[in-house]
């Protein structure tokens, strides 16, 4: 009997519904499928103009005693580190930077010493551009100290080095410095004033 019912069901093409016994053999209306939600894609504007580097104006920092002392400590540590690990090329630039700081503080004797150390190291490393610049700066320090003869000697050495390396721009700069040293009459009073201040300080200390 079961086989007969199964054959009859297949013959009349019944739907596979648990409610077939009610006799509702109409085709049921299917509800429309739910629309699939599309993922939202966030497109970033990665045009070069959006991320272009903006040039910010440099704000000049005022030269104060605190700034100079802080800069001196930083450069001194760097110089000590480079000398310890025999990075003499880098130490040469550290010494010249220290000399510039001491010039700004009017500590000319110390500036002179550090320029001499910088020149010695840069010569050993064949860094001719740095040697030339340091010789020019050293000559100006010596002129401020009143030693015009040695200042001219340093400028002459810098000019000879610049000529031998084809650095015509440096030669022009050196020639201007030579004329400035020869024509300026303020060097001697400046040096005398500096030493006079030092003598006054010593007498007051006594």
């Amino acid at each position: 009997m079961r086989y007969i019912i199964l054959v009859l069901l297949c013959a009349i093409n019944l739907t596979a519904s648990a409610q077939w016994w009610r006799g509702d053999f109409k085709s049921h209306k299917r509800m429309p499928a739910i629309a699939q939600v599309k993922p939202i894609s966030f497109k970033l504007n990665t045009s070069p103009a959006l991320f272009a580097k903006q040039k910010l104006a440099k704000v000049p920092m005022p030269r104060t005693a605190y700034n100079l002392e802080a800069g001196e400590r930083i450069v001194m540590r760097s110089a000590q580190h480079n000398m310890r690990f025999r990075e003499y090329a880098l130490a040469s630039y550290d010494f010249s930077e220290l000399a510039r700081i001491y010039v700004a503080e009017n500590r000319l004797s110390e500036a002179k010493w550090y320029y001499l150390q910088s020149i010695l190291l840069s010569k050993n490393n064949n860094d001719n551009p740095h040697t030339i610049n340091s010789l020019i700066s050293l000559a100006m320090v010596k002129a401020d100290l009143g030693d015009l003869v040695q200042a001219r000697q340093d400028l002459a050495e810098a000019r000879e080095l610049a000529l031998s390396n084809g650095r015509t721009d440096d030669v022009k700069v050196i020639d201007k410095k030579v004329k400035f040293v020869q024509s300026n009459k303020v060097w001697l009073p400046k040096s005398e004033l500096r030493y006079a201040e030092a003598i006054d300080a010593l007498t007051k200390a006594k």
Side-chain angles (χ1 to χ4, degrees), residues 100-156:
R100 279 192 287 269
I101 293 173
Y102 291 137
V103 169
E105 294 179 344
N106 203 28
R107 295 160 63 180
L108 300 182
S109 297
E110 292 169 276
K112 175 183 173 181
W113 189 86
Y114 279 106
Y115 273 131
L116 289 170
Q117 303 308 310
S118 176
I119 291 167
L120 179 63
L121 293 174
S122 61
K123 283 182 178 179
N124 291 336
N125 287 280
N126 295 320
D127 190 351
N128 294 323
H130 191 211
T131 303
I132 293 169
N133 291 331
S134 296
L135 281 169
I136 295 171
S137 300
L138 176 62
M140 295 299 102
V141 170
K142 288 181 178 179
D144 278 336
L145 290 171
D147 196 349
L148 300 181
V149 176
Q150 288 194 8
R152 294 191 191 99
Q153 290 176 356
D154 291 333
L155 290 173

Side-chain angles (χ1 to χ4, degrees), residues 24 32 41 44 52 58-59 86 93-94 97 109 119 156 195 198 201:
D24 187 8
S41 61
L44 298 174
K58 292 183 179 179
V59 179
R86 299 182 181 180
Y93 285 89
D94 290 330
E97 183 62 28
S109 297
I119 291 167
Y195 288 119

Side-chain angles (χ1 to χ4, degrees), residues 54-204:
Q54 297 180 356
K55 293 184 178 180
L56 300 176
K58 292 183 179 179
V59 179
M61 293 294 291
R63 280 187 174 272
T64 62
Y66 175 78
N67 289 341
L68 291 172
E69 289 177 6
E72 178 187 351
R73 286 194 297 270
I74 293 170
V75 181
M76 185 66 76
R77 288 194 195 115
S78 177
Q80 291 171 348
H81 172 83
N82 290 325
M83 288 297 291
R84 179 182 178 186
F85 292 98
R86 299 182 181 180
E87 296 288 342
Y88 299 126
L90 296 175
S92 175
Y93 285 89
D94 290 330
F95 287 145
S96 60
E97 183 62 28
L98 278 171
R100 279 192 287 269
I101 293 173
Y102 291 137
V103 169
E105 294 179 344
N106 203 28
R107 295 160 63 180
L108 300 182
S109 297
E110 292 169 276
K112 175 183 173 181
W113 189 86
Y114 279 106
Y115 273 131
L116 289 170
Q117 303 308 310
S118 176
I119 291 167
L120 179 63
L121 293 174
S122 61
K123 283 182 178 179
N124 291 336
N125 287 280
N126 295 320
D127 190 351
N128 294 323
H130 191 211
T131 303
I132 293 169
N133 291 331
S134 296
L135 281 169
I136 295 171
S137 300
L138 176 62
M140 295 299 102
V141 170
K142 288 181 178 179
D144 278 336
L145 290 171
D147 196 349
L148 300 181
V149 176
Q150 288 194 8
R152 294 191 191 99
Q153 290 176 356
D154 291 333
L155 290 173
E157 183 182 353
R159 192 178 192 279
E160 184 180 353
L161 186 59
L163 280 173
S164 62
N165 287 274
R167 302 182 65 84
T168 55
D169 292 337
D170 289 336
V171 173
K172 293 177 183 178
V173 172
I174 294 166
D175 288 339
K176 291 179 181 179
K177 296 292 184 182
V178 171
K179 291 179 181 178
F180 182 68
V181 170
Q182 291 175 347
S183 62
N184 200 329
K185 305 298 182 182
V186 186
W187 299 117
L188 192 57
K190 281 180 66 177
S191 61
E192 287 179 348
L193 178 61
R194 175 170 173 77
Y195 288 119
E197 289 176 352
I199 292 170
D200 290 340
L202 287 173
T203 54
K204 287 180 181 178

